[in-house]
Amino acid sequence: MLQDYATGTVASADGTKIGFRYRGSGPAVVLVHGSMESGLNHVALADALADRYTVFLPDRRGRGLSGPHAADHSLATEVADIHAVVAQAGASRIFGVSAGGLVALATARRHGRLIDKVALYEPALVLADSFYDNAWLPRFDAQIAAGKVTAAMVTSMFALRLAPTGLKVIPRPLLAALTGMMLSGEDKAAGPGDVTMRRLAPTIRYEGVIIGEAKGTEAEYADVAAEVLLLSGGRGLAWLRPGRDALVRTLPHSRTVEYPELDHGGSSDVTKANPKGRPDLVARDLSKFYA
């Protein structure tokens, strides 16, 4: 229940306000959400951990309680933001999913003296030979600038290979129209403080920025001293698997857990957009790992 959470803010290195929610008792754990999410997408996971840990749910930039992105946004910006929350919380344990997993791992590398244990659910670290590049960003930016939010979301969906293969045969205008219907339905049901997909859409470009920036950097994580738990879904994003496997080879202290039935949203709350989430399963393994 959200009423069980207190809220706080901390200033990042550039002065931007980073907001967070927290509850529980015991050692601090910081949960870093992924793309098209805010801290509110991991409330069920936080609730499941709160009997043993004080759980912090930061909103990454451009979302909810936090300030806006800067024009020169980078992975270093994200690391500074999460480091500020980790320092404020006194946390030595951190979790991150997808692009948030990339941020969590980079934070552990940069601030290893603070962080002892890092858990990552399908971190968005891609290898140098990956298909992924940021060539889609100009089109996305133009669509957002023109107010074509649904078209921009379709652009990002294909760029990040989030769409089932069968959708490629559907004309993009039709996909944009269907996406618009989904957003409108969510907008009607949303409360004043809800972080809707329409509000989150502009943040996708910054996910692309940091994924592109970190492409091919897996060898740099060989000096991460923390214990790392690499989690993945058997039905997750296949194009992130090579990066995970590279981290298994690179990180000095790592182990893996795979959930055969889970997809990329396995750690997140169950919603209409994420009907197969199982944060209870992820919380079980996180609780053991952080103990």
Side-chain angles (χ1 to χ4, degrees):
M1 293 290 185
L2 277 181
Q3 58 263 35
D4 296 330
Y5 287 79
T7 61
T9 62
V10 64
S12 189
D14 66 356
T16 299
K17 180 184 74 172
I18 304 300
F20 54 85
R21 294 175 174 82
Y22 64 99
R23 67 161 294 199
S25 59
V29 176
V30 175
L31 307 183
V32 187
H33 64 79
S35 304
M36 287 300 286
E37 292 186 333
S38 72
L40 294 175
N41 287 92
H42 281 89
V43 170
L45 181 60
D47 286 347
L49 294 171
D51 60 336
R52 298 182 65 179
Y53 303 99
T54 304
V55 188
F56 288 74
L57 293 170
D59 286 333
R60 291 168 58 208
R61 290 196 183 210
R63 304 156 174 93
L65 302 175
S66 292
H69 294 90
D72 61 348
H73 188 82
S74 67
L75 183 56
T77 311
E78 298 259 9
V79 168
D81 294 349
I82 296 304
H83 170 248
V85 177
V86 166
Q88 178 86 349
S92 62
R93 300 162 175 85
I94 191 170
F95 167 81
V97 56
S98 192
L102 175 59
V103 174
L105 180 61
T107 303
R109 177 175 180 259
R110 176 68 179 82
H111 300 284
R113 288 179 295 177
L114 294 178
I115 299 171
D116 297 328
K117 295 191 175 184
V118 185
L120 310 171
Y121 192 98
E122 299 199 355
L125 179 67
V126 298
L127 306 187
D129 61 357
S130 168
F131 76 92
Y132 181 79
D133 62 42
N134 282 342
W136 61 280
L137 287 178
R139 180 177 186 175
F140 178 90
D141 290 343
Q143 289 167 328
I144 289 290
K148 299 178 180 179
V149 174
T150 55
M153 290 180 67
V154 172
T155 294
S156 67
M157 181 172 62
F158 282 107
L160 296 165
R161 294 194 178 179
L162 301 176
T165 304
L167 287 185
K168 291 183 178 180
V169 302
I170 300 177
R172 288 198 178 204
L174 178 56
L175 284 177
L178 294 172
T179 302
M181 292 172 61
M182 179 179 65
L183 296 189
S184 295
E186 185 188 37
D187 291 342
K188 290 178 182 178
D194 289 349
V195 186
T196 63
M197 286 188 287
R198 191 181 301 278
R199 293 177 180 173
L200 288 169
T203 68
I204 303 173
R205 66 112 42 218
Y206 300 101
E207 307 295 80
V209 167
I210 66 170
I211 294 171
E213 179 187 344
K215 182 177 179 178
T217 63
E218 64 277 0
E220 296 180 7
Y221 295 97
D223 59 356
V224 172
E227 294 181 55
V228 181
L229 179 64
L230 294 162
L231 307 169
S232 60
R235 300 181 180 181
L237 294 182
W239 61 277
L240 294 181
R241 285 181 174 272
R244 180 205 62 180
D245 294 343
L247 287 174
V248 171
R249 297 188 296 268
T250 300
L251 292 165
H253 311 290
S254 71
R255 55 192 174 92
T256 62
V257 172
E258 182 165 309
Y259 307 97
E261 299 302 315
L262 298 194
D263 59 21
H264 191 58
S267 67
S268 302
D269 289 2
V270 175
T271 63
K272 286 186 177 180
N274 186 50
K276 297 180 180 179
R278 287 296 307 271
D280 57 315
L281 294 182
V282 177
R284 177 195 64 194
D285 289 315
L286 290 185
S287 187
K288 294 176 183 176
F289 174 62
Y290 291 140

